[in-house]
Amino acid sequence: MSPSSETAHGQRLVIVESPAKAKTIKGYLGPGYIVEASVGHIRDLPSTAAEVPDKYTGEVRRLGVDVDHDFAPIYVVNADKKSQVSKLKSLLAESDELFLATDEDREGEAIAWHLQQVLKPKVPVHRMVFHEITKTAIQEAVANPRELNQRLVDAQETRRILDRLYGFEVSPVLWKKVMPKLSAGRVQSVATRLVVERERERIAFRSASYWDLVATFGTGRTPADAANPETFGARLSAVDGKRIASGRDFGSDGRLKAGSVNTLHLDEQAARALAAALEQTSFGVRSVESKPYRRSPYAPFRTTTLQQEASRKLGFGAKRTMQVAQKLYENGFITYMRTDSTTLSETAISAARAQVTQLYGADYLPDAPRTYASKVKNAQEAHEAVRPSGDRFRTPAETGLSGDDFRLYELIWMRTVASQMKDAVGQSVTVKVGGRSADGRDAEFSASGKIITFHGFLKAYVEGADDPNAELDDRERRLPQVTEGDPLSAEQLTPEGHATKPPARYTEASLVKELEDREIGRPSTYASIIDTIIGRRYVFKKGTALVPSFLSFAVVNLLEKHFGRLVDYDFTARMEDDLDRIAAGEAQSVPWLKRFYFGEGEGHATGGAAEAGNGDGDHLGGLKELVTDLGAIDAREISSFRISDDLTLRVGRYGPYVERASTVEGEPGRRADIPDELPPDELTVELAEELLAKPSGDFELGQDPVSGNQLVAKDGRYGPYVTEILPEGTPKTGKNAVKPRTASLLQSMSLDTVTLDDALKLLSLPRVVGLDQEGVEITAQNGRYGPYLKRGTDSRSLTSEEQMFTVTLEEALAIYAQPKQRGRAAAAPPLKELGTDPVSERPVVVKDGRFGPYVTDGETNATLRKDDEVETITPERGYELLAEKRARGPVKKTAKKAPAKKAAAKKTATKKTTTTTKTAAAKTTAKKTTTKAAAKKTATKKAAASRTAAVDEG
């Protein structure tokens, strides 16, 4: 029986997270239902101490968690959600039932719990769950609700408290010892360490050179068809029984690995000599080995594999993938996109199999449905894989989607359908070819081929690869039909040189895979983690590669040396296991948090590892103690990295710089700033010397003849400039503070050529040109966007920097006499052409704008990011920037609101419901309602929550 059958004529309030989701669900529910969004979380731990109620002091106020009373969290309603909470309370007051229809994962369960705690409903409450937004799924969810899952709520709360303790205790250490405004996090810091360690490997890497031979052999037969080619290529594999060394035989130090016995390392000279000795050799087929080839379909997408494939095939970042997937889910096109399961429901399997038959024929349909076991530890199998929604899959053409939405849906659709198709089968062949050189050496070449006789699922979908040189599954390599003993002629023998390469930097896709393989964090959080480490400047993107900043080297260095356990990969993975046990009811939250924060010290540990549910439990113990004693941390040492005997890289509060120690004890060494976006593995001794050789420091230019102050030229972080040195005793702070005059160098000037006269000219700006007919002053100035004239609030551009010093009053008046140019000057030619945008189908170019270079398709403009360069930006990156700009939508302009008329305000206040909340009357009414509700709450005894230790500060 439906829960609504008892109140068939009443009103039911359904609360979801997002307005888009609310709009879709509203269309599937009949009259009597009001669907409203909470707009994400309505309540959380306070983000700052200012949000904590005054009655809390000390550590509780700082952390937002009462660590001495069972880690009771202090929840506050987010300031930007108070009006929405008031609206939800108003709607609930007029409803007979409440359906909490937030997402079905831990976070969704927690949002539902917070809604129940804040709204305090007096009507029946139902938890409504679904993994796809279709009419059938929504109606079934309404008819078959369940209770809130308190285990999921407790598990999510434990994670939230854990992350709060980690972040709020460790981040201040970074502020004190490295730089202000930095952050540490349970998974974010480990992810940063992975990226830094890969860069360390690249810095330590030494390339090795090795050579081999590539041969083209002819069979001497004219091929009957393309399936039996006349020639084929092969690579030298052995000489006199010794295997030819390849890249895998060398270590990161550039030397052959110790285990590489019976291996021959050819250099260029040896390779060329061998090629010459084989010119007259008669070759023959020594062996032909054929094996059956079989490849099974890939499992349907889970969150992480979707992110990886979207990166490889579509060029999407993890964040962009999840944004598009969220939109597809909320609009009813795919199932829930945050899942670690590869399971398909019976309905989905039937839909996929029906489409296989329809689109590819019965020959491609296996006899029995395929099932896939999840490879993710503690996967929630109740969830489904990411797939098209409904009991009949819409083909991409039937969806009406476009742009990114279409491309991602198509990817999901193809992968899901392919997962229910037959294996691809064929034959793989290895041919060995041998001959004896003129100097008596035995040379053996090897060639491998693959023929696919039945493509099976490869007709629908082929998985991409992170390595651009990797061979994809559907690639065929045909060899001629030869048998052992067949004679062959060497039509070409080419020596070929190779060099080992450093390990590739992580991309977003490969970092997601690495985190998942190491079982660090939850797959659903990886996109936000990557977004965080980029936003915190720990990592920047160079193309698709994730490059660690020098700042991240200092942060990871400190964490490894003084908080090694917290960034240990195994420790972080074991913590994830503990949290899963808490979610499963196999462990207790409070004892576990006590051991993590206080350790097993006397007065805090209430039991051993068994009680906390940690297994051996040895990996926990004492965050508080770790962050208390900071005396051993040498801030200069952890931010210093040796480049050579006399050169050191240092990470300062204002950025990285290279320093050469002074030969005179006690005097500062010579320093040079390092470009913020220089990849650390490119900072060589030679580059450091080059940076130090550039002009830096103060260049004394002479005295200002008027003030007598010394004028100097300096190189700042924002370019070269001139300034004056004020006399000793000049007040620098307070109401009598005096600031030195400062001016940037013109484009035609440089530090090593600027003169005293140049400095005096620059410091004379702004220059008074004269007064117009009405007595208004006209000045010539140098601005951010170039030289210009200013008269009151009216400014006009000058054509050259020299005009600032030479323009006369007559010339200035003539410029002002011309109509002000509202449009733009003739468009400059583009800096680079990128191709046709796949969404707008318009040509994309890079242009130079007043805020720097940007990409445009004529409709949408997107400024290049700090890690993008005009010379190296790829078409895919340009399309990605435009897609992100489109997804954000147009910038909303905020205009000053005119004061509301009293009569209008009075009229608005009398309405029971209103379509706008932006009038002064609506604000006043909302404020009164909130105050009234708060007063009522204070006077009423608090209802017992499921976790009595939690404090509600709504």
Side-chain angles (χ1 to χ4, degrees):
M1 179 183 290
S2 168
S4 59
S5 61
E6 298 174 8
T7 55
H9 302 289
Q11 180 170 279
R12 304 161 198 92
L13 175 62
V14 180
I15 302 180
V16 298
E17 298 98 320
S18 73
K21 188 175 174 182
K23 182 180 178 182
T24 307
I25 291 175
K26 189 175 183 178
Y28 296 139
L29 296 174
Y33 289 90
I34 295 177
V35 186
E36 185 60 47
S38 67
V39 197
H41 288 271
I42 62 163
R43 192 172 75 154
D44 198 0
L45 297 174
S47 57
T48 64
E51 296 179 9
V52 180
D54 294 337
K55 64 181 179 181
Y56 298 105
T57 58
E59 289 293 276
V60 182
R61 188 174 187 81
R62 181 176 69 87
L63 296 173
V65 176
D66 191 345
V67 297
D68 292 317
H69 293 88
D70 289 344
F71 295 85
I74 298 169
Y75 290 121
V76 294
V77 174
N78 302 341
D80 60 339
K81 298 296 172 63
K82 289 185 177 180
S83 62
Q84 189 66 11
V85 168
S86 297
K87 182 179 180 181
L88 291 173
K89 285 182 176 180
S90 176
L91 292 172
L92 181 59
E94 300 171 0
S95 301
D96 301 294
E97 287 181 279
L98 173 63
F99 287 84
L100 300 173
T102 51
D103 292 337
E104 60 177 337
D105 56 11
R106 291 189 188 101
E107 188 169 5
E109 204 74 14
I111 293 174
W113 179 77
H114 281 293
L115 281 166
Q116 188 174 21
Q117 296 295 305
V118 172
L119 299 179
K120 296 182 171 32
K122 297 178 181 179
V123 297
V125 179
H126 311 287
R127 179 72 173 104
M128 176 178 162
V129 292
F130 44 87
H131 59 268
E132 61 182 350
I133 302 178
T134 61
K135 186 172 184 178
T136 302
I138 296 304
Q139 290 179 346
E140 286 182 359
V142 169
N144 300 284
R146 62 166 171 80
E147 297 296 318
L148 270 169
N149 186 329
Q150 196 60 41
R151 282 183 181 174
L152 287 181
V153 174
D154 290 345
Q156 180 65 20
E157 184 173 79
T158 304
R159 286 174 184 274
R160 188 72 186 91
I161 293 171
L162 169 66
D163 290 338
R164 168 56 61 96
L165 296 175
Y166 192 122
F168 273 48
E169 291 288 20
V170 180
S171 297
V173 179
L174 301 181
W175 306 342
K176 295 174 184 176
K177 300 297 183 179
V178 181
M179 189 184 292
K181 298 183 180 179
L182 299 181
S183 73
R186 178 171 56 92
V187 180
Q188 127 190 359
S189 296
V190 175
T192 304
R193 184 189 173 199
L194 281 169
V195 179
V196 168
E197 282 200 335
R198 179 60 54 87
E199 196 73 8
R200 287 171 178 167
E201 292 172 9
R202 291 175 62 87
I203 293 171
F205 179 82
R206 297 295 176 266
S207 182
S209 173
Y210 60 96
W211 286 69
D212 58 14
L213 301 182
V214 176
T216 300
F217 292 110
T219 62
R221 304 189 299 264
T222 301
D225 54 53
N228 187 23
E230 181 184 1
T231 62
F232 66 98
R235 190 173 294 276
L236 181 68
S237 58
V239 174
D240 289 337
K242 287 189 174 183
R243 184 173 59 82
I244 298 300
S246 62
R248 67 176 183 271
D249 295 304
F250 296 90
S252 60
D253 59 357
R255 300 181 180 182
L256 278 173
K257 295 176 182 176
S260 299
V261 294
N262 201 34
T263 301
L264 178 62
H265 179 195
L266 291 180
D267 57 18
E268 181 178 4
Q269 183 178 354
R272 294 192 182 280
L274 179 59
L278 290 171
E279 285 182 355
Q280 305 302 319
T281 298
S282 297
F283 290 93
V285 176
R286 290 185 174 176
S287 67
V288 179
E289 184 180 2
S290 180
K291 294 180 180 179
Y293 164 83
R294 179 174 293 273
R295 183 72 172 87
S296 296
Y298 325 103
F301 282 133
R302 58 183 189 272
T303 301
T304 52
T305 53
L306 175 62
Q307 290 171 359
Q308 291 166 45
E309 274 294 87
S311 174
R312 297 165 185 149
K313 288 183 174 293
L314 308 180
F316 290 4
K319 181 181 179 181
R320 182 176 169 194
T321 299
M322 297 310 291
Q323 286 174 337
V324 178
Q326 177 97 27
K327 185 178 175 184
L328 289 174
Y329 165 67
E330 291 179 344
N331 286 285
F333 289 102
I334 64 171
T335 54
Y336 191 52
M337 65 288 160
R338 292 188 183 89
T339 176
D340 46 20
S341 174
T342 53
T343 302
L344 289 178
S345 66
E346 291 184 7
T347 301
I349 290 174
S350 298
R353 287 174 64 83
Q355 230 158 32
V356 171
T357 305
Q358 176 189 349
L359 298 176
Y360 300 99
D363 290 342
Y364 285 82
L365 186 70
D367 295 335
R370 290 185 180 275
T371 57
Y372 296 89
S374 178
K375 296 180 180 179
V376 180
K377 199 173 182 180
N378 299 314
Q380 301 175 67
E381 296 297 347
H383 295 178
E384 267 201 87
V386 185
R387 63 164 176 85
S389 60
D391 54 9
R392 178 194 170 277
F393 295 164
R394 285 168 284 187
T395 64
E398 293 173 329
T399 61
L401 295 169
S402 62
D404 288 354
D405 298 347
F406 177 89
R407 298 169 71 199
L408 192 65
Y409 178 85
E410 183 181 45
L411 192 72
I412 294 167
W413 173 80
M414 290 191 300
R415 176 87 165 213
T416 307
V417 172
S419 73
Q420 292 301 315
M421 295 175 71
K422 280 185 177 179
D423 291 351
V425 295
Q427 293 286 323
S428 62
V429 181
T430 302
V431 176
K432 298 285 187 181
V433 177
R436 191 164 292 278
S437 66
D439 55 7
R441 286 182 288 174
D442 181 78
E444 187 171 89
F445 291 77
S446 179
S448 297
K450 182 178 72 176
I451 300 171
I452 301 175
T453 56
F454 178 72
H455 279 76
F457 76 94
L458 294 176
K459 278 281 188 183
Y461 189 84
V462 181
E463 188 170 69
D466 292 322
D467 182 357
N469 298 316
E471 186 176 88
L472 301 182
D473 287 333
D474 64 340
R475 189 73 54 83
E476 289 188 299
R477 299 183 309 277
R478 292 186 176 271
L479 296 178
Q481 297 173 11
V482 294
T483 58
E484 188 174 330
D486 283 356
L488 300 171
S489 61
E491 297 188 358
Q492 192 172 12
L493 283 169
T494 306
E496 194 170 90
H498 310 272
T500 56
K501 295 180 180 180
R505 290 189 178 101
Y506 288 109
T507 61
E508 289 196 30
S510 59
L511 182 59
V512 163
K513 186 176 187 303
E514 186 72 17
L515 289 167
E516 186 175 38
D517 288 347
R518 291 178 179 269
E519 299 173 357
I520 293 170
R522 299 305 305 173
S524 60
T525 65
Y526 292 158
S528 62
I529 291 297
I530 292 173
D531 191 46
T532 297
I533 64 176
I534 292 174
R536 293 289 182 180
R537 299 188 298 120
Y538 293 150
V539 170
F540 62 91
K541 293 183 77 173
K542 188 177 182 182
T544 59
L546 297 175
V547 185
S549 63
F550 291 104
L551 172 63
S552 69
F553 270 71
V555 168
V556 170
N557 195 29
L558 184 150
L559 294 175
E560 286 177 333
K561 289 183 177 179
H562 300 279
F563 303 94
R565 182 169 53 86
L566 297 182
V567 288
D568 178 78
Y569 304 131
D570 292 336
F571 164 76
T572 309
R574 288 198 296 270
M575 284 178 68
E576 204 61 49
D577 290 341
D578 294 344
L579 292 167
D580 285 331
R581 279 195 286 273
I582 291 170
E586 299 168 3
Q588 301 172 30
S589 172
V590 172
W592 188 88
L593 286 170
K594 284 184 177 181
R595 294 195 63 253
F596 170 76
Y597 191 70
F598 292 115
E600 289 192 291
E602 188 175 346
H604 293 294
T606 58
E611 182 178 338
N614 305 316
D616 60 9
D618 291 339
H619 58 285
L620 291 177
L623 172 65
K624 182 63 176 175
E625 185 178 352
L626 282 174
V627 299
T628 300
D629 183 12
L630 305 180
I633 301 178
D634 185 329
R636 185 175 176 82
E637 179 189 350
I638 59 102
S639 296
S640 300
F641 305 90
R642 183 74 65 184
I643 302 174
S644 68
D645 290 341
D646 65 337
L647 293 177
T648 302
L649 162 74
R650 302 196 193 280
V651 179
R653 296 213 159 206
Y654 304 104
Y657 61 93
V658 63
E659 181 180 57
R660 169 176 280 121
S662 173
T663 55
V664 180
E665 188 175 351
E667 289 191 6
R670 184 172 177 79
R671 297 180 177 182
D673 289 334
I674 295 174
D676 288 335
E677 294 163 22
L678 178 73
D681 73 335
E682 294 180 16
L683 181 60
T684 61
V685 174
E686 293 75 21
L687 179 57
E689 293 284 5
E690 183 181 326
L691 292 171
L692 287 168
K694 289 183 178 179
S696 62
D698 297 356
F699 290 80
E700 293 189 2
L701 303 176
Q703 281 189 333
D704 183 334
V706 177
S707 68
N709 293 338
Q710 184 73 26
L711 301 186
V712 296
K714 295 187 174 187
D715 190 13
R717 295 198 69 79
Y718 303 104
Y721 64 98
V722 294
T723 187
E724 63 180 337
I725 306 298
L726 298 177
E728 287 288 334
T730 302
K732 297 181 179 180
T733 58
K735 63 180 180 179
N736 297 320
V738 178
K739 290 186 177 180
R741 293 174 296 157
T742 299
S744 296
L745 266 59
L746 303 182
Q747 292 181 352
S748 58
M749 299 176 179
S750 63
L751 275 177
D752 50 355
T753 60
V754 66
T755 65
L756 177 61
D757 289 340
D758 292 332
L760 292 171
K761 283 175 62 177
L762 291 172
L763 294 175
S764 70
L765 297 174
R767 180 177 73 91
V768 176
V769 178
L771 304 177
D772 69 2
Q773 296 88 338
E774 299 176 0
V776 179
E777 187 177 78
I778 301 176
T779 58
Q781 306 189 26
N782 192 19
R784 181 178 180 183
Y785 307 113
Y788 67 99
L789 292 173
K790 186 173 184 181
R791 180 178 66 177
T793 58
D794 189 0
S795 60
R796 303 294 176 95
S797 296
L798 294 172
T799 56
S800 70
E801 292 177 325
E802 185 61 28
Q803 270 191 293
M804 292 187 291
F805 309 104
T806 61
V807 66
T808 64
L809 178 60
E810 291 73 18
E811 291 170 336
L813 291 173
I815 292 174
Y816 275 105
Q818 300 296 321
K820 188 165 186 178
Q821 186 177 349
R822 297 292 178 185
R824 295 184 178 182
L831 303 178
K832 189 174 185 179
E833 297 181 357
L834 299 179
T836 303
D837 184 82
V839 177
S840 66
E841 298 183 347
R842 296 169 66 96
V844 176
V845 297
V846 182
K847 290 188 173 184
D848 193 14
R850 59 187 297 199
F851 301 108
Y854 65 97
V855 291
T856 180
D857 64 352
E859 295 178 344
T860 305
N861 300 339
T863 305
L864 267 60
R865 308 285 171 78
K866 67 176 183 179
D867 51 311
D868 298 317
E869 296 179 2
V870 175
E871 296 78 11
T872 59
I873 189 170
T874 62
E876 291 74 18
R877 177 59 177 162
Y879 308 152
E880 180 183 1
L881 290 171
L882 290 174
E884 289 179 356
K885 184 65 179 289
R886 292 189 197 102
R888 289 197 299 269
V891 178
K892 295 181 180 178
K893 295 183 179 180
T894 55
K896 292 183 178 179
K897 291 182 284 187
K901 292 182 179 180
K902 290 184 179 180
K906 186 175 181 181
K907 185 177 180 181
T908 305
T910 60
K911 290 186 180 181
K912 186 173 182 181
T913 58
T914 179
T915 57
T916 176
T917 58
K918 291 184 179 179
T919 64
K923 286 186 176 179
T924 306
T925 305
K927 187 175 180 181
K928 287 180 179 178
T929 304
T930 306
T931 308
K932 202 170 183 181
K936 184 178 179 182
K937 176 179 163 187
T938 306
T940 306
K941 189 174 180 180
K942 291 182 180 178
S946 55
R947 180 168 180 188
T948 55
V951 180
D952 179 12
E953 295 295 341

